[in-house]
Amino acid sequence: MTFSALALATLTGCAGTSATATGTGAAARPAAAPDRVEPLAPAPLPALPVTAASADGRQVTVTAADRIVPLSGSLNEIVQTLGLGPQVVARDITATFEQAAQLPVVTRGHDVSAESVLSLRPTLVLAETTSGPAEAIRQIRDAGIPLLVVAPAKSLDDVPKRIETVAAALGVKDAGARLNERTAERIATARKGIPASAASGKKPRVAFLYLRGTASVYLLGGSDSGAASLLEAAGAVDTGKESGLGKDFTPITSEALAAAAPDAILVMSKGLESVGGTDGLAKIPGVAQTPAGMDRRVVTVDDGVLLNYGPRTDQVLSSLISQLYGKTA
């Protein structure tokens, strides 16, 4: 069956979110697995001290890893999956998986509270290049806390690099190698779910939209949005990248959507909720005029995992493939 013949239903969630199908003739889908990471076992013992290269050009010496503060959900996920969850003492608001959900929140979407971080007496802080404000990062470093900045993830190729970087900084390089091997195997297995028709026939055309209806933010993803690599790995075409949108995101216009002509629209689950679901999405200028909008073909993945490019990337791919081709992930 070709993609154009599928009547894709709106699915909400990926790993950790219940997924249900709605629409004409859609069958009920079973609830997804609980939102949790799968730590390596046995837990590794950090071999410290180590000196690691930070993405901001500094050399950071780590002497202890008993109180770790990751400033993003993605970094928290990597640390926890490496088996060092008991040493994590805080989280970003996007770290919603079970093992981290009860930790105190010290940053909300790149708005770091230096006071909250320092109050937890961390021995290592892991940050993204987008973590900030700069004053907060400087305050943490001025207090003598080792702070390692990790390069951002934009594609599948970045998955092993980030895991290797974090594992090395924590003194658990062997665990990083084991996790990379496991992750690569699972990604390969997930991709086996792509039907042969996607390679030999018409590939599904997908537009990635970033939506925050409460703030009137409606953006179309381009080649740097982070979604292109996932969609391509799922056998699909990222229409924003194909249309020549070189930036990460650009405001949605009817003209841009018409040119993209997506068969399906990919959104984060909270983004879809913020615009009032599928009906609200169809009211955004230009959406209803696309093939995806006319047929209500919407693919959703949980905000906390879609663009993490970490140990659960295989689950993201399984969800995308399931939704795009109508198979159970």
Side-chain angles (χ1 to χ4, degrees):
M1 180 180 296
T2 64
F3 179 80
S4 58
L6 293 176
L8 292 177
T10 298
L11 302 178
T12 302
C14 177
T17 307
S18 297
T20 57
T22 59
T24 305
R29 290 170 57 85
D35 186 7
R36 56 182 293 112
V37 300
E38 183 184 345
L40 292 176
L45 294 175
L48 299 171
V50 298
T51 298
S54 182
D56 60 356
R58 299 169 182 258
Q59 293 293 312
V60 178
T61 299
V62 182
T63 59
D66 55 327
R67 298 185 64 80
I68 307 166
V69 174
L71 296 181
S72 74
S74 175
L75 293 173
N76 203 319
E77 177 182 322
I78 293 173
V79 176
Q80 299 262 1
T81 310
L82 284 168
L84 298 179
Q87 287 94 299
V88 179
V89 296
R91 69 180 177 98
D92 172 70
I93 197 170
T94 60
T96 57
F97 53 89
E98 186 176 301
Q99 291 96 329
Q102 300 307 312
L103 293 171
V105 174
V106 295
T107 174
R108 297 174 179 270
H110 315 306
D111 184 14
V112 178
S113 169
E115 293 77 11
S116 296
V117 171
L118 293 174
S119 71
L120 295 168
R121 297 174 288 106
T123 54
L124 174 64
V125 174
L126 296 170
E128 304 275 2
T129 54
T130 54
S131 297
E135 302 80 46
I137 300 301
R138 184 166 53 250
Q139 187 175 345
I140 294 169
R141 278 190 165 137
D142 287 347
I145 308 300
L147 187 149
L148 183 80
V149 179
V150 180
K154 290 290 186 179
S155 72
L156 285 180
D157 291 339
D158 295 319
V159 174
K161 297 175 186 176
R162 283 169 64 85
I163 292 174
E164 181 180 0
T165 295
V166 173
L170 295 172
V172 292
K173 292 183 68 173
D174 289 346
R178 282 195 291 136
L179 181 55
N180 268 333
E181 182 178 2
R182 188 184 84 177
T183 303
E185 290 175 351
R186 292 182 176 183
I187 288 174
T189 298
R191 296 192 68 190
K192 291 179 181 178
I194 302 171
S197 59
S200 59
K202 179 185 177 183
K203 293 185 176 183
R205 298 172 52 77
V206 185
F208 175 41
L209 304 187
Y210 180 83
L211 310 173
R212 285 296 180 264
T214 52
S216 298
V217 175
Y218 310 104
L219 303 175
L220 172 62
S223 59
D224 290 336
S225 73
S229 182
L230 286 170
L231 291 171
E232 290 165 359
V237 174
D238 184 324
T239 60
K241 177 180 177 180
E242 184 192 57
S243 298
L245 298 179
K247 299 190 301 181
D248 49 0
F249 293 97
T250 189
I252 293 173
T253 64
S254 299
E255 294 77 15
L257 283 177
D263 300 308
I265 290 173
L266 169 64
V267 294
M268 295 182 185
S269 54
K270 289 182 180 178
L272 184 63
E273 180 183 346
S274 76
V275 298
T278 307
D279 290 340
L281 176 64
K283 296 176 182 177
I284 295 175
V287 170
Q289 286 70 49
T290 65
M294 288 186 280
D295 293 329
R296 300 297 181 94
R297 295 195 293 263
V298 182
V299 174
T300 66
V301 178
D302 186 75
D303 302 49
V305 70
L306 175 61
L307 299 179
N308 274 4
Y309 284 110
R312 293 192 290 173
T313 298
D314 66 293
Q315 297 178 25
V316 176
L317 282 175
S318 291
S319 181
L320 289 176
I321 291 166
S322 171
Q323 295 182 67
L324 287 172
Y325 307 107
K327 294 186 177 184
T328 301

